[in-house]
Amino acid sequence: MAPLSKEEEDFPLAFIITIHKELETFVRLLRAIYAPQNVYCIHIDDKALEEYKTSVRSLSGCFPNVFLASVSEKADINCMKDLVKSPVKWRRVINLCGQDFPIQSNLELIRYIQGSEWKDRNMTPGVKQPPSMKHRTEFPYVEVKGIHVAPRANAPKKGPPPHNLTIYFGTAYYSLTRPFVEFVLSDPVAKDLLEWSRDTFSPDEHYWVTLNHMKEAPGSRVDGEWEGNIRAIKWRDQEGRAHQGCKGQYIRDICIFGTGDLPWIIERDSMFANKFETASFPEAVDCLELWHRHKVLQQASVPIQPSWRLTTEVEVSNSTLTLIPEDCV
């Protein structure tokens, strides 16, 4: 409940977290990334159960710098509108989902995005839209029963993107500068692209990366491609190349991490890892949370309060023994 260093106090971050399930995983994510100098906008998807929404509202009410998005649709844009009105003078915004978990500490996040490669630059990994992905923006799509999207029946092709924009394709995850956010919320081209993108397959996979390739956008990376160590994810189709298999289980071709995946995650040193499920593989979250908190406290430049520790430490023969679950050993 206090900044852990002057460096972190002077560089507050904003987080947008979109959630609809896995309440315990979200709570532990928030606990891991929480710092009083930062600000957190929580967007609860409409399909979440009312009991879930009530629990999140109660939790957010405990902190002056954690709030729910004022509008329930278009999560990122509406959270950004709320964040620019916040009294917290945040410098960067990072978006998350409720099944992410941090690998880097808050201090490491700041040093990474303020390093020579990313200082005052937006991080939106992606490339020019490949032919295999063009169908996602060429045809209008509609959400089916809140579960998935499908092409609208008998609908003609969409018109070309506004302002003759070249569409890019990439990850929906980002790290954006505050001037870029203000540009997105006010620029006519950005607004027109948002409107055109409403009925595309997955707007977040092209919207941010396309805008970040506009030379007029603050902090843009016109020649950027897949640079940016934003997420550690094990995709099924990358098994044998980017990783040696999922030690938890694949769901929709993405690995739900088990404890056996943790060495790979830590070695990657990404900003965050995805996905975790406390209900399915609780030990993976237990171990990573302990590892992350230990690193955070080691890096702190202020006196450590006992309540900040997640484990009990006892003195044994002039050495310190940290008690951790057996599954983490």
Side-chain angles (χ1 to χ4, degrees):
M1 297 305 293
L4 298 184
S5 67
K6 184 69 164 58
E7 190 174 347
E8 293 170 87
E9 185 176 10
D10 291 344
F11 200 93
L13 298 173
F15 291 90
I16 296 172
I17 311 176
T18 303
I19 56 176
H20 71 278
K21 65 175 185 177
E22 283 283 318
L23 179 63
E24 184 181 349
T25 308
F26 160 67
V27 170
R28 294 169 75 169
L29 164 64
L30 182 61
R31 178 164 67 180
I33 64 173
Y34 183 83
Q37 73 275 4
N38 295 338
V39 61
Y40 306 84
C41 178
I42 314 300
H43 177 270
I44 310 174
D45 195 285
D46 274 342
K47 61 176 171 273
L49 298 175
E50 194 57 43
E51 181 182 3
Y52 180 97
K53 295 177 182 178
T54 300
S55 297
V56 176
R57 290 191 195 101
S58 299
L59 175 64
S60 65
C62 298
F63 304 93
N65 55 340
V66 179
F67 63 89
L68 300 186
S70 59
V71 181
S72 61
E73 61 176 10
K74 294 189 296 184
D76 292 45
I77 288 291
N78 285 307
C79 264
M80 288 176 181
K81 290 178 180 178
D82 293 336
L83 286 168
V84 296
K85 298 174 185 176
S86 167
V88 177
K89 302 303 180 185
W90 54 271
R91 305 281 295 280
R92 288 266 191 159
V93 62
I94 297 169
N95 66 335
L96 304 170
C97 81
Q99 291 179 264
D100 288 328
F101 205 84
I103 308 305
Q104 295 182 7
S105 66
N106 193 79
L107 180 61
E108 289 170 335
L109 286 173
I110 290 170
R111 289 178 175 174
Y112 179 51
I113 59 183
Q114 280 293 93
S116 57
E117 184 178 8
W118 296 110
K119 185 175 175 63
D120 300 323
R121 305 290 294 278
N122 307 302
M123 195 183 303
T124 60
V127 294
K128 283 186 180 180
Q129 189 181 51
S132 61
M133 294 296 174
K134 285 188 180 295
H135 66 279
R136 294 185 175 218
T137 54
E138 282 185 336
F139 296 92
Y141 285 77
V142 63
E143 189 169 354
V144 180
K145 297 181 180 179
I147 301 173
H148 66 281
V149 294
R152 184 174 292 144
N154 301 318
K157 277 189 175 183
K158 288 173 59 66
H163 306 280
N164 200 30
L165 286 170
T166 298
I167 299 299
Y168 283 73
F169 167 79
T171 172
Y173 294 118
Y174 55 66
S175 165
L176 306 176
T177 64
R178 184 165 187 144
F180 180 83
V181 170
E182 292 168 347
F183 167 84
V184 168
L185 296 179
S186 61
D187 182 75
V189 175
K191 291 182 177 181
D192 290 346
L193 179 61
L194 181 66
E195 186 64 31
W196 179 84
S197 301
R198 283 180 184 272
D199 60 355
T200 57
F201 178 82
S202 180
D204 287 346
E205 291 181 353
H206 71 260
Y207 184 71
W208 310 107
V209 64
T210 296
L211 293 179
N212 197 34
H213 280 80
M214 292 173 54
K215 63 179 184 298
E216 302 86 358
S220 62
R221 195 177 177 93
V222 177
D223 299 322
E225 294 190 352
W226 290 108
E227 302 89 354
N229 198 9
I230 289 188
R231 283 296 184 286
I233 301 176
K234 284 188 175 183
W235 295 93
R236 187 195 296 269
D237 63 3
Q238 294 179 353
E239 187 170 322
R241 293 181 288 115
H243 61 87
Q244 297 305 311
C246 177
K247 312 307 179 185
Q249 71 178 101
Y250 288 112
I251 295 183
R252 290 187 291 277
D253 295 327
I254 296 178
C255 180
I256 306 300
F257 293 125
T259 53
D261 296 300
L262 298 185
W264 178 86
I265 292 171
I266 292 170
E267 185 179 332
R268 287 287 301 272
D269 195 31
S270 299
M271 295 167 66
F272 292 83
N274 174 279
K275 291 184 172 179
F276 294 90
E277 284 189 3
T278 307
S280 302
F281 299 98
E283 298 88 355
V285 183
D286 292 342
C287 298
L288 191 58
E289 184 178 32
L290 287 171
W291 173 84
H292 182 266
R293 179 59 63 93
H294 181 67
K295 179 168 66 168
V296 166
L297 297 184
Q298 277 188 317
Q299 295 172 353
S301 59
V302 299
I304 302 302
Q305 304 299 317
S307 62
W308 295 352
R309 301 186 185 277
L310 298 181
T311 58
T312 302
E313 294 189 350
V314 295
E315 295 294 327
V316 180
S317 302
N318 297 322
S319 64
T320 301
L321 171 67
T322 303
L323 303 182
I324 63 176
E326 290 182 3
D327 293 303
C328 301
V329 179

